[in-house]
Amino acid sequence: MRVFWQLLAVVVVSLVGGQSVAAVQDNPWATLGLGLVTAVLSVYVYAWVVGRTEKRPVAEVSRQGAVGAVVRGVLLGTLVFASVVANIALLGHYEVDGWGSYTGAVGLAGFMAGASVTEECLFRGVLFRTMEERFGTWGALIPTSVLFGAWHLLNPDASLWGATVIALSAGPMLAAAYVATRSLWLPIGLHFGWNFAASGIFSTEVSGNDTQQGLLDASTSGPTLISGGEFGPEASLYTLVFWALVTVGLLWLARRRGQMTPRRSKRTDTVALVP
């Protein structure tokens, strides 16, 4: 039942926050404010419901080291997206025509903050964490990544290919970021950094979401495998390659730190053999 209550609490905040942000999407400052409120409220509700249902300190959203972890995540997410766009541009499929909308970037910052935090609390905080307890890191990685990819099929310009790339790249990478740090702050920063760079800076589509224009007046073109098509660069093969490299690095770090969790049956058998 604990998983049910945790999912219910986070989903309610996500739905109410998402609808509130959508209702004021034509006002960038209101969008920014409501997006930030949704992000903060998501963390507090997650900490409250997990603390109540599991009777423990909710260390994965501890304030200690939170700012540094989020900043590192934002920088890495932005850098990886910039690398993807640079490669698409080298092939002539991303072009900048000038400056776009500063206020659009403001609104997108709020929208992406709310979406990033609620999705990380839901997918890594509740689903991945609780599945990992029973099935181990590898056993939780695959199904939660598939669910994360499928979640994006709900977007207006979603595609099966785009959802598949997310399931193969962003899903494992964000879970690996959680495992390596045992904190939600790094995946939250990575998620926001990628999404805001894609929309608020480079003005590309994000997950087929019919995203507004950001800082640059830019456009993408060419084959879906390169540019990502209507789904955005998240569906590009470059995204798949770059995030795979980051995932491998994070999983290596997690293993080095002893953060990988085996299946519960294996842990039980090991304990039983200890005299």
Side-chain angles (χ1 to χ4, degrees):
M1 285 298 291
R2 67 185 175 101
V3 177
F4 170 78
W5 291 116
Q6 291 171 17
L7 284 173
L8 179 63
V10 175
V11 168
V12 167
V13 174
S14 176
L15 290 176
V16 173
Q19 290 299 316
S20 300
V21 170
V24 297
Q25 61 182 345
D26 293 331
N27 184 327
W29 297 104
T31 301
L32 175 64
L34 284 175
L36 293 176
V37 168
T38 299
V40 173
L41 187 61
S42 297
V43 172
Y44 275 98
V45 168
Y46 172 85
W48 175 79
V49 71
V50 171
R52 288 290 299 271
T53 55
E54 298 186 8
K55 309 298 182 183
R56 66 173 178 86
V58 189
E60 60 268 27
V61 288
S62 170
R63 294 181 183 179
Q64 185 175 1
V67 174
V70 171
V71 170
R72 288 192 295 273
V74 170
L75 291 176
L76 180 57
T78 302
L79 176 62
V80 174
F81 188 83
S83 301
V84 170
V85 166
N87 279 275
I88 295 174
L90 284 173
L91 296 178
H93 298 309
Y94 175 81
E95 296 182 355
V96 177
D97 297 319
W99 292 107
S101 171
Y102 296 98
T103 55
V106 169
L108 286 166
F111 178 83
M112 295 306 172
S116 300
V117 176
T118 55
E119 288 183 9
E120 289 312 303
C121 288
L122 175 61
F123 284 95
R124 260 57 64 179
V126 178
L127 292 176
F128 179 83
R129 181 180 57 80
T130 55
M131 289 186 68
E132 187 187 34
E133 292 174 3
R134 178 65 181 86
F135 301 107
T137 300
W138 294 111
L141 195 66
I142 296 174
T144 55
S145 295
V146 171
L147 286 172
F148 188 57
W151 174 267
H152 292 80
L153 287 172
L154 301 175
N155 296 338
D157 295 321
S159 69
L160 182 59
W161 169 248
T164 300
V165 174
I166 286 180
L168 293 173
S169 58
M173 181 276 302
L174 292 166
Y178 168 75
V179 175
T181 60
R182 290 298 163 187
S183 167
L184 289 177
W185 297 121
L186 182 63
I188 283 173
L190 282 164
H191 199 149
F192 174 78
W194 172 274
N195 280 2
F196 182 69
S199 58
I201 299 175
F202 294 99
S203 298
T204 63
E205 189 60 82
V206 178
S207 307
N209 238 326
D210 194 19
T211 314
Q212 297 178 355
Q213 188 181 62
L215 285 175
L216 298 176
D217 179 9
S219 60
T220 56
S221 60
T224 297
L225 292 179
I226 301 300
S227 68
E230 293 185 353
F231 195 82
E234 278 176 304
S236 169
L237 286 177
Y238 285 117
T239 295
L240 191 59
V241 171
F242 279 109
W243 276 140
L245 292 173
V246 174
T247 301
V248 169
L250 288 169
L251 289 175
W252 173 83
L253 182 61
R255 182 174 293 278
R256 184 179 179 184
R257 291 176 171 177
Q259 303 276 43
M260 304 290 283
T261 302
R263 287 177 61 90
R264 179 181 293 176
S265 57
K266 291 184 179 181
R267 297 200 301 273
T268 302
D269 293 342
T270 300
V271 171
L273 291 173
V274 175

